[in-house]
Amino acid sequence: SVGVVFYPDVPITENTCFDSETDVSIARLDGARSDQRTRIERAFERQSPDGGTPTHDAYRYAYNELAEAEVIGARFAVVITDGTPTFSLGCVGTGLISDPVDPTPLVAEAERARTRGVNTFVIGSPGSEGARESLSRMAEAGGTARAGCSHSGPNFCHFDMTESANFATDLRDALGTISGLTLSCA
């Protein structure tokens, strides 16, 4: 089963940095032409990123949705970000890239989710160069650190794609690796 939450995906205002609304509700993925796959593809086609990075609000919302979902099996969150958070929990911050907030609380949030049965994979896309250490720590706290990783690099604990020559291919490969890890027999 898979669901999708984009962030911020609303025009950022003084009191709103994240719309607490699921873009694609968690449902069985099923075959290549399933309704769920079609919903996910359409959701990605409609996205147009525009400012601000409310990672903590989005992560907590997604975790709560995942924790409450009526699905069978292990639970995993995949966070894909292109930068350092620019809003703290509760939309505190300016949202400006030049004014990032402390990402440390996300590490504790991933640890809390892990202790409650949700492991967290983290993917840092181009633009997240300044967040490498915190993203690495978040993946470790989330229980998905890559073997032999280091928070100072070059082999970070998260999927670091900041220097990717072909982001689409590298993202597909990372998601394939994550799928393989999450779908293994237990």
Side-chain angles (χ1 to χ4, degrees):
S1 297
V2 176
V4 178
V5 174
F6 293 100
Y7 64 99
D9 89 337
V10 295
I12 295 173
T13 64
E14 187 173 321
N15 298 319
T16 305
C17 71
F18 171 71
D19 70 341
S20 48
E21 190 173 302
T22 303
D23 293 284
V24 179
S25 297
I26 298 171
R28 286 177 47 106
L29 195 55
D30 292 329
R33 293 193 170 98
S34 70
D35 288 342
Q36 183 68 353
R37 287 179 188 267
T38 300
R39 283 190 287 275
I40 291 170
E41 287 174 18
R42 287 185 181 147
F44 273 90
E45 289 169 358
R46 290 190 306 265
Q47 289 308 304
S48 179
D50 186 22
T53 308
T55 312
H56 202 156
D57 284 280
Y59 180 78
R60 181 170 285 177
Y61 175 79
Y63 162 76
N64 288 335
E65 289 293 301
L66 186 55
E68 295 173 8
E70 302 275 335
V71 295
I72 298 170
R75 293 161 194 260
F76 300 90
V78 178
V79 175
I80 304 173
T81 186
D82 67 352
T84 302
T86 58
F87 290 101
S88 295
L89 188 63
C91 294
V92 175
T94 65
L96 299 174
I97 294 172
S98 60
D99 191 19
V101 299
D102 180 13
T104 306
L106 282 160
V107 175
E109 194 81 26
E111 171 71 22
R112 182 177 75 90
R114 186 183 58 75
T115 62
R116 295 181 177 172
V118 176
N119 287 3
T120 302
F121 289 94
V122 181
I123 298 174
S125 70
S128 67
E129 293 82 358
R132 284 169 148 168
E133 181 181 344
S134 63
L135 295 176
S136 184
R137 290 185 186 283
M138 187 178 180
E140 180 182 53
T144 63
R146 302 177 78 185
C149 68
S150 166
H151 300 310
S152 57
N155 299 314
F156 291 93
C157 298
H158 68 293
F159 291 86
D160 178 33
M161 298 184 187
T162 57
E163 297 176 7
S164 175
N166 186 330
F167 179 67
T169 298
D170 292 344
L171 179 60
R172 184 190 68 232
D173 292 347
L175 293 173
T177 297
I178 292 168
S179 294
L181 293 170
T182 62
L183 298 176
S184 63
C185 278

